[in-house]
Amino acid sequence: MCAARVSIETLKTFEPIGSLPDARLNQLAGLCELETVTRNSDPFLVRSIAGQAVYLLRGELVLTYPDGSSKVLVGGSDRSRHPLAHRGEVFTSAKAVTEVELMRIDDDLLDVMATWDQVASAEVSAKKAESTSFANWTMMSGMFSVSSLKYGAFSQLPPAHIDELLRRFERSEAKRGEVVIREGAEGDFYFVIESGRCKVERMVGGVSMLLAELKSGDAFGEEALVSEVKRNATVTMKSDGALLKLSKKDFVELLRAPLLHRVSAEEAHAKVASGAQWIDVRYPSEYQYDKLGGAINIPLSEIRNAFGALDKAKEYVLYCQSERRSAAAAFLLAQRGFRAFVLAGGLWGAARRR
């Protein structure tokens, strides 16, 4: 692996990465691994492709398949814009025809990003159409950064509740010096800083001690809500700003596992054979690349716009890569009375069962 950092311009040439906003791409660039492989060697002999999206940046790579056939992949070609082995195809070996450069990204991380950003983009569009105050979630750092969405407090959020979560946040202006939460008080809200800065202090031996300073995108207040204890610190605005708050009831409710109708691959195919419709909720570029037969494409961010065109008398089986985006879309449809089912495990799960 080399120490160089991949450029945002390079990331924009790949699918589905190129569909992400610049703020996300800038974060993602620091999480990509670049690897140079010498001629005539197998880049996956020591380190496999499992659990990763691997892209060919430059050079020529020959892939050999179980039936003995082979294919040469050239960096910069249309085919190389997509990750290796993401059409459900399985290659038995790979060999660098020339020196090649690969880029590796954690598969699960990429799917988490796609899920949150599609939902957040749709939420921003809806608020703009309603001419109401809104937070641009896709531009926020801290709590909604790439690493936080995968490893932080929101990483355990059921995907189907993301849209509802973003809708239920209340936005309010806050002035410098305003005490947002006070040590010893009951926990009633969870907060995310949209703009401005806060300081966190705690009384220790009768003296107020500064614990931390928070910035845009940072969140606070979750401990009292989750642990059912009183506030253990005081948070005060260090500057004018805006806060997003979520009630304790909504916080608890939306972190619970959603009641969704999941179906196995066999059940899903049986439903489709009986008249149900496949809906691929991924980006159009993903849909065009390896869509299921007869599927229609309604990206997660466009689901709400499709309510009027869908038939409530018909069953729909939704899918994506991992089940994250399809679960979120199915939750939105179910809320409005549609008979929506989720392909359990997504396309990844179906591929593993073959």
Side-chain angles (χ1 to χ4, degrees):
M1 184 177 73
C2 60
R5 176 186 169 100
V6 65
S7 69
I8 292 179
E9 289 68 30
T10 297
L11 291 178
K12 286 182 177 179
T13 65
F14 297 117
E15 299 293 350
I17 299 172
S19 300
L20 297 171
D22 285 357
R24 281 290 189 230
L25 293 177
N26 187 51
Q27 295 174 347
L28 183 62
L31 299 173
C32 296
E33 297 181 19
L34 297 180
E35 178 181 342
T36 300
V37 180
T38 58
R39 180 183 177 186
N40 292 325
S41 60
D42 184 343
F44 310 117
L45 184 62
V46 175
R47 188 182 180 192
S48 76
I49 199 173
Q52 296 182 320
V54 180
Y55 294 85
L56 176 63
L57 274 66
R58 64 176 176 84
E60 298 181 13
L61 187 67
V62 60
L63 303 176
T64 302
Y65 298 92
D67 62 359
S69 64
S70 61
K71 181 189 302 181
V72 176
L73 185 63
V74 180
S77 66
D78 185 66
R79 170 65 183 84
S80 68
R81 294 174 60 239
H82 299 271
L84 275 64
H86 269 231
R87 298 179 62 180
E89 60 185 20
V90 178
F91 56 86
T92 54
S93 65
K95 182 178 180 180
V97 179
T98 65
E99 180 180 88
V100 301
E101 185 174 24
L102 301 174
M103 179 178 74
R104 294 176 182 256
I105 308 172
D106 182 271
D107 237 343
D108 196 53
L109 173 61
L110 191 57
D111 195 62
V112 168
M113 290 171 59
T115 303
W116 275 85
D117 282 284
Q118 279 191 271
V119 174
S121 296
E123 186 64 24
V124 169
S125 298
K127 290 295 179 68
K128 283 182 176 179
E130 297 167 3
S131 299
T132 56
S133 177
F134 65 92
N136 191 344
W137 301 98
T138 63
M139 298 300 291
M140 293 182 70
S141 57
M143 190 62 205
F144 295 92
S145 67
V146 171
S147 58
S148 290
L149 293 183
K150 181 169 173 60
Y151 304 109
F154 276 10
S155 64
Q156 300 303 311
L157 180 71
H161 284 175
I162 295 174
D163 179 78
E164 191 67 20
L165 173 77
L166 300 184
R167 286 200 312 108
R168 293 195 194 180
F169 267 104
E170 301 174 22
R171 185 180 185 275
S172 61
E173 302 291 333
K175 298 295 184 182
R176 178 181 179 182
E178 179 179 337
V179 175
V180 183
I181 62 176
R182 193 176 298 276
E183 185 175 358
E186 295 291 339
D188 50 2
F189 286 98
Y190 173 77
F191 296 88
V192 176
I193 304 173
E194 182 187 74
S195 63
R197 291 173 296 131
C198 295
K199 61 179 179 179
V200 183
E201 299 171 299
R202 179 180 298 163
M203 295 299 293
V204 179
V207 179
S208 180
M209 301 291 292
L210 179 66
L211 301 180
E213 293 191 3
L214 307 176
K215 63 183 184 307
S216 174
D218 289 338
F220 59 91
E222 71 278 1
E223 186 173 336
L225 303 185
V226 174
S227 305
E228 298 291 341
V229 296
K230 295 184 183 298
R231 299 293 194 188
N232 62 5
T234 295
V235 179
T236 308
M237 296 297 298
K238 284 195 67 177
S239 67
D240 291 346
L243 299 174
L244 303 163
K245 64 180 184 179
L246 187 69
S247 72
K248 178 179 180 179
K249 175 179 177 296
D250 289 337
F251 180 80
V252 173
E253 174 190 346
L254 295 173
L255 283 175
R256 291 174 179 167
L259 296 176
L260 291 173
H261 299 292
R262 291 179 171 83
V263 293
S264 67
E266 294 74 21
E267 293 170 325
H269 283 287
K271 283 186 175 295
V272 171
S274 299
Q277 173 68 59
W278 286 114
I279 297 181
D280 188 321
V281 301
R282 300 175 299 166
Y283 291 118
S285 59
E286 294 174 283
Y287 165 75
Q288 291 294 340
Y289 195 60
D290 60 351
K291 62 180 180 290
L292 296 179
I296 59 174
N297 183 216
I298 308 178
L300 174 56
S301 57
E302 296 295 324
I303 281 290
R304 283 183 294 191
N305 297 330
F307 291 155
L310 297 177
D311 183 358
K312 289 188 176 180
K314 192 179 184 69
E315 290 188 339
Y316 296 94
V317 182
L318 287 69
Y319 72 89
C320 62
Q321 295 295 93
S322 68
E323 188 185 307
R324 281 193 176 89
R325 284 175 277 178
S326 51
F331 181 75
L332 294 176
L333 291 176
Q335 277 189 312
R336 290 156 181 85
F338 290 97
R339 301 162 66 192
F341 299 85
V342 179
L343 175 62
L347 295 180
W348 289 344
R352 284 193 290 267
R353 288 188 290 271
R354 288 172 185 161

